[in-house]
Amino acid sequence: MQKEQSSKKTNKRYGILAMVFLTVVINYLDRSNISVAAFALSEDLDLSSVQMGFIFSAFAWTYAILQIPGGFMADKIKTRVLYSVIMALWSIATLVQGMANSFGSLLGLRATIGIFEAPSYPTNNVIVTRWFPEKERASAIAIYTSGQFLGLAFLTPVLTAIQSYLGWRGLFYVSGAIGLVWAVLWYVLYRDPKEHSTMNQEEIDYIAEGGGLIDGVSDTDKKEQVEKFSWSDLREVFSYRKLWGLYIGQFCLGTIIIFFLTWFPTYLVKYRGLDFLESGFLASIPFLAAFFGVLLSGFTSDFLIKRGYTVEIARKLPIICGMLLSTAIIGANYTDDTFLVILFLSIAFFGNGLASIAWVFISLMAPKKLIGLTGGAFNFIGGLSGIVVPVIIGYLVKDGDFKPALFFIGAIALLGFISYTFIVGKVERIVPRSKN
């Protein structure tokens, strides 16, 4: 399509980024509403802490397993179509949760949501890689990633209020309906860069010259267009130590997020004795801290790049500092003061926010023709935390003491620091060995 010519480039990429941001908000709304509903739901259906652990983890069973196929889909299927379809399907599954009446039905529906959300983050990364030059990419990733924190910070009290008035079933009905509306709007509004009718050639050139892969690959590498899937591609994305450093780091990052998305409200109400509505407002504070953490991380990282600092310093420093700060979650074990409990948890989640720009490494290091697949592998390993962590916590707290669970989360955060510091190595684009 011929683009309009002008002396000043358009900035349509920011509108696309806003759409991705809203999609992430809805994505995490449908992942985390179970945590708000958990206390009332478990009492209504007479579910134990171990059973709730399995329900919390059921989403991640399918979500993690399907990350690699999801990454392949992100590379192959038009983003406009893929996102609209999967969003509509996971929203329907969310809505149907309101009709669940047993452990088995909830387990199945949570797993179903995981199936349809699986391609979402690989798709987000493909969108940003196509729409943004490298020097703006960490900020872009930080902005859309912040949606998971800002959305939950403001929506957690709202979701708590909805449940108070409509019950936990009504909470799922409202959540699902929101996603269905946005799925339709996404299909109407989204276009890839070269299909965007109001985007001019100057902006396309700006993105492409800055390393944006507007065709899925750079303009200088069009001969490496994405080919059909092969098992050698899958072996490729698991063949490099530095990629394994990223994968392990993502597992550790996911462990902290999973706690806040699943057990956190139950921790405040059942193990800290807070009022349910009060817990909704207090639970929003760590999410706000994480929101500021991820924005600070992204903009600081891009600022350091523009000031001439090395990629290792600019991209790694926020993540390494963030993983260290996340170990502060252990401090909540040593106080009964609600203010200090929320403070320690907020520091930990702020650190998690700092480390949440890790997706930038996939944009910078993945083989060019395997960005989606590498992102799928990255999120697959990260998603494994969602399978094992809620269940482990369920067993650790079954005797009524939550302290072992917080020690466990802090230890995993320390492992993430070690992985990013000593395993990732130099940040550079990987050239497949067959190309060397």
Side-chain angles (χ1 to χ4, degrees), residues 117-197:
E117 286 200 11
S120 56
Y121 258 69
T123 302
N124 293 341
N125 199 51
V126 167
I127 292 170
V128 169
T129 303
R130 288 176 180 169
W131 273 93
F132 284 84
E134 289 185 6
K135 67 181 179 181
E136 297 179 0
R137 206 167 291 157
S139 297
I141 290 172
I143 289 171
Y144 82 65
T145 302
S146 73
Q148 69 193 53
F149 303 124
L150 184 64
L152 293 176
F154 288 105
L155 288 176
T156 297
V158 174
L159 294 177
T160 303
I162 290 172
Q163 179 172 314
S164 294
Y165 288 103
L166 301 179
W168 62 267
R169 296 183 187 277
L171 174 61
F172 290 131
Y173 296 149
V174 172
S175 301
I178 291 171
L180 284 172
V181 171
W182 184 241
V184 174
L185 291 175
W186 179 273
Y187 185 79
V188 171
L189 298 174
Y190 181 81
R191 297 293 187 277
D192 284 330
K194 287 192 172 181
E195 297 174 352
H196 202 291
S197 61

Side-chain angles (χ1 to χ4, degrees), residues 152-153 156-157 160 260 264-265 268-269 272-289 337-343 345-346 349:
L152 293 176
T156 297
T160 303
F260 282 96
F264 179 41
L268 294 181
V269 174
R272 287 294 181 175
L274 300 183
D275 174 76
F276 179 69
L277 284 174
E278 179 188 11
S279 73
F281 287 97
L282 290 177
S284 70
I285 297 173
F287 286 108
L288 279 175
D337 186 282
T338 299
F339 171 81
L340 290 178
V341 168
I342 297 299
L343 177 63
L345 294 175
S346 297
F349 216 18

